[in-house]
Amino acid sequence: MGSTPAQAEAVETPDVLIVGTGFAGLGMAMKLLDAGHSDFVILEKADGVGGTWRENTYPGCACDVASVMYSYSFAPNRSWSRMYAAQPEILDYIEHVVEARGVGAHIRFNTEATSYEFDEDSDRWTVRTRSGQEYRPRIVVLAHGALHQPNIPDLPGMGRFKGTMFHSAQWDHSVDLTGKRVAVVGTGSSAAQFIPEIAGTAAHVDVFQRNAHWVLPKADRPLKDFERKLFKALPFVQQLYRLTAYWTHEVPVLAFLNPKFVKLLELASRRMLAKQVTDPLLRAQLTPDYKIGCKRILLTNDYYPALQRPDVDLITSPIAEFTKTGLTTADGKSHEADVVILATGFSTDNRCATEHIVGRDGMTIQEAWRDGMTAHLGTTVAGFPNMFMLMGPNSGGGAQSILFVIEAQLHYIVECLRMMRTRRASRLEVRAEVQRAFNSRLHRRLAGSVWNSGGCHSWFLDDKGQNRQSWPGTGTSYWRATRRPDPLAFNLTSNAGKRPLRVVPQPTDSK
Ligand code: NAP
């Protein structure tokens, strides 16, 4: 599949260059093929497809969105083994779709894009890779994901620790945890999935919790043989499952946007806590002090039981420092550890912070995002013509399956390309004033949401407390907003004489 950098030395001029082979980048490739475009390449820094599902291999890694909804609508998998698939099965699915759809030949593996510069004369991008290969595509689609830079906290004395330490997204499978004392820092979605898996293998697990997370049951179970047969014989049955999953994710968003309605969800979570955790002290430690939904809810049935094992301790006193042999906490206690696992999430503040992306008039992405990440509909950024993002700022972070959001964006991008073609435009750039107006409305709507006002600090918020992840509505509303690109939102020009293609009113607020 694909060629290596050494084989491809000449400058390549594909029409479209996609970066990343996670669900987003691969989906883009499939939608381009469906629309009759085959002149594209996909750059992938690693040696395999799958993005986050290739990188996260920690024990128990699984999806907290039902499999029927966490797959492409246009490539349903009739053979899912469970309601919520585990990482190996999701990766298998991705690899299978790549094969079935003939995307592999377009992928350049072990090829990391390191710089992107827009050339105003040709209206093309110059994209360079770490190995020196150069591409000059007309269109760039950045699909390198929102959650892939591990957040390594800077805790006092970390360098002093003599044991083994790794991040959950970089699981070191060469380390046998059997009989070891393990310290886990963080209690988010990743930790809640692997703690039940390593408890019992490790001699002892200390779980360091900074803030409790809200937990709800996961309606997971193996899919029965007859269900899989039904999916194959009567595909609309699987569609019904998908529809159910869709609305299960959609309805809570209405409460997240109007936090006075989250009480019902909190009640369900408190009931689960009361049922699963008998010790009143532990129950109090596991009760969050912010509104449900403010941080991503943990869907798990085995996290609370794992915390109650005799060989697992929940530690809520803040970490004071690392020592050579473990950690100490603010209450003065020492916690010996052979292995420390950082389940501390990902850096999400500015996902292009270290990227060399230079748009129109020499503007860098860092300059454009000086005050925080911002885009129009999470896909285009003023000043960066002919560049699209998938899962860009404020297009996810709700409750709907990110696959649904991605598919809406794929459709939107294909429509933008169609608009460029029909209007004979060589350049498409979102108007700065449209982007500004769009974002001021978006942030006004987010202000009252549970993500902003629920009393927590999650990865949805940047260091200034501004929400850079969430779409302020349901998945359905995002789908509606991305059905048809509004030509008035863009400057569409042709490089034949650098003239605007049509005279349009100057909208201040077109969407
Ligand atoms: P996360 O939800 O951001 O959780 C990070 C944890 O580390 C939190 O408990 C946080 O505490 C703690 N932490 C961070 N810095 C710390 C520090 N300096 N000292 C002590 N504790 C610290 O990260 P994650 O669990 O990797 O999940 C990230 C996202 O990935 C999820 O929200 C989800 O969207 C996605 N994910 C999805 C699935 C899935 O099933 N689809 C599975 C795993 C991950 P505080 O809460 O106090 O900040």
Side-chain angles (χ1 to χ4, degrees):
M1 286 211 295
S3 63
T4 62
Q7 290 168 301
E9 274 159 9
V11 174
E12 286 192 51
T13 55
D15 193 43
V16 181
L17 179 139
I18 303 166
V19 183
T21 62
F23 267 116
L26 294 171
M28 186 76 258
M30 292 171 209
K31 283 288 143 191
L32 286 177
L33 287 174
D34 287 352
H37 300 282
S38 55
D39 185 10
F40 64 87
V41 297
I42 320 177
L43 306 188
E44 170 52 60
K45 68 176 189 290
D47 58 2
V49 299
T52 193
W53 296 105
R54 184 198 61 241
E55 284 185 14
N56 282 272
T57 59
Y58 58 78
C61 183
C63 190
D64 57 10
V65 174
S67 316
V68 283
M69 200 59 222
Y70 201 82
S71 37
Y72 299 117
S73 63
F74 51 86
N77 177 7
R78 311 283 178 214
S79 318
W80 288 120
S81 68
R82 309 188 60 82
M83 291 294 277
Y84 291 79
Q87 176 264 341
E89 192 172 9
I90 298 173
L91 190 56
D92 274 357
Y93 165 76
I94 296 173
E95 288 171 349
H96 170 79
V97 183
V98 166
E99 185 77 30
R101 295 260 166 167
V103 171
H106 296 265
I107 305 174
R108 311 281 188 267
F109 287 111
N110 301 307
T111 305
E112 183 179 359
T114 50
S115 92
Y116 310 76
E117 290 172 1
F118 186 66
D119 172 34
E120 305 206 29
D121 291 327
S122 61
D123 282 350
R124 294 183 89 94
W125 285 88
T126 301
V127 179
R128 295 192 180 84
T129 70
R130 191 161 297 289
S131 62
Q133 171 72 32
E134 196 170 300
Y135 295 87
R136 300 226 180 100
R138 187 172 65 97
I139 304 289
V140 167
V141 180
L142 298 178
H144 42 23
L147 297 168
H148 67 110
Q149 306 268 22
N151 166 41
I152 308 292
D154 186 16
L155 292 163
M158 261 173 111
R160 221 181 279 153
F161 180 61
K162 294 283 180 235
T164 306
M165 182 161 13
F166 54 82
H167 188 275
S168 60
Q170 297 164 334
W171 196 273
D172 186 344
H173 291 277
S174 70
V175 178
D176 182 4
L177 297 180
T178 312
K180 302 263 167 55
R181 288 192 67 90
V182 179
V184 176
V185 182
T187 53
S189 309
S190 303
Q193 290 185 341
F194 72 72
I195 288 167
E197 298 293 319
I198 63 169
T201 300
H204 190 89
V205 181
D206 281 330
V207 178
F208 292 84
Q209 171 188 280
R210 195 165 59 174
N211 285 289
H213 287 243
W214 289 98
V215 176
L216 282 172
K218 187 173 184 180
D220 193 19
R221 63 170 175 80
L223 279 158
K224 304 200 169 62
D225 250 4
F226 84 87
E227 289 175 295
R228 279 194 293 271
K229 281 184 187 142
L230 258 184
F231 292 169
K232 281 177 191 145
L234 303 168
F236 78 89
V237 175
Q238 194 175 27
Q239 271 303 108
L240 283 179
Y241 276 55
R242 186 175 159 92
L243 214 61
T244 310
Y246 176 80
W247 287 109
T248 309
H249 291 292
E250 201 71 339
V251 171
V253 178
L254 300 172
F256 297 155
L257 293 168
N258 302 284
K260 55 182 181 289
F261 297 122
V262 295
K263 284 268 174 272
L264 214 61
L265 284 172
E266 288 189 1
L267 209 69
S269 181
R270 281 180 204 281
R271 187 168 298 159
M272 176 173 176
L273 180 63
K275 203 166 138 197
Q276 286 201 340
V277 178
T278 45
D279 173 18
L281 174 63
L282 184 61
R283 208 187 289 163
Q285 289 173 320
L286 289 170
T287 304
D289 59 1
Y290 54 86
K291 288 201 170 93
I292 195 167
C294 186
K295 286 172 192 256
R296 192 166 167 110
I297 300 167
L298 310 184
L299 294 188
T300 163
N301 305 322
D302 50 8
Y303 177 56
Y304 287 155
L307 293 180
Q308 292 169 91
R309 291 174 58 104
D311 51 4
V312 176
D313 281 325
L314 181 74
I315 290 149
T316 54
S317 178
I319 296 169
E321 61 172 351
F322 276 74
T323 63
K324 277 186 188 167
T325 55
L327 298 94
T328 60
T329 38
D331 57 7
K333 291 190 180 147
S334 309
H335 309 272
E336 297 295 296
D338 304 306
V339 180
V340 173
I341 304 173
L342 301 171
T344 42
F346 301 88
S347 300
T348 52
D349 256 17
N350 183 343
R351 73 187 66 151
C352 293
T354 57
E355 303 238 33
H356 179 82
I357 304 178
V358 185
R360 180 173 48 76
D361 299 330
M363 179 163 60
T364 64
I365 195 76
Q366 288 77 16
E367 285 160 357
W369 285 356
R370 196 182 304 117
D371 299 323
M373 294 193 300
T374 183
H376 181 247
L377 285 167
T379 56
T380 51
V381 181
F384 297 83
N386 298 1
M387 177 174 273
F388 296 93
M389 304 187 84
L390 288 162
M391 297 177 287
N394 293 104
S395 61
Q400 193 43 270
S401 167
I402 193 68
L403 265 283
F404 180 80
V405 173
I406 289 171
E407 283 196 36
Q409 296 180 337
L410 300 179
H411 169 87
Y412 184 78
I413 294 170
V414 168
E415 287 303 308
C416 282
L417 299 185
R418 193 192 311 279
M419 185 166 72
M420 287 179 79
R421 209 169 43 248
T422 55
R423 287 160 195 262
R424 296 184 204 288
S426 57
R427 189 189 292 197
L428 171 146
E429 182 187 339
V430 67
R431 289 171 185 267
E433 68 276 17
V434 170
Q435 180 174 304
R436 257 196 313 276
F438 168 82
N439 276 281
S440 56
R441 268 197 323 285
L442 177 142
H443 287 292
R444 259 199 317 276
R445 275 192 221 152
L446 280 175
S449 73
V450 76
W451 306 303
N452 283 34
S453 65
C456 77
H457 188 99
S458 72
W459 61 263
F460 300 154
L461 308 181
D462 66 12
D463 53 5
K464 298 184 192 89
Q466 189 70 273
N467 192 327
R468 299 291 172 190
Q469 307 295 336
S470 310
W471 168 253
T474 56
T476 310
S477 73
Y478 187 75
W479 177 86
R480 259 204 320 271
T482 48
R483 274 306 73 195
R484 188 170 301 216
D486 178 359
L488 298 184
F490 300 99
N491 282 320
L492 285 153
T493 53
S494 155
N495 64 0
K498 284 280 174 287
R499 56 187 162 75
L501 288 165
R502 57 193 283 265
V503 179
V504 289
Q506 300 290 308
T508 51
D509 198 359
S510 74
K511 243 186 183 302

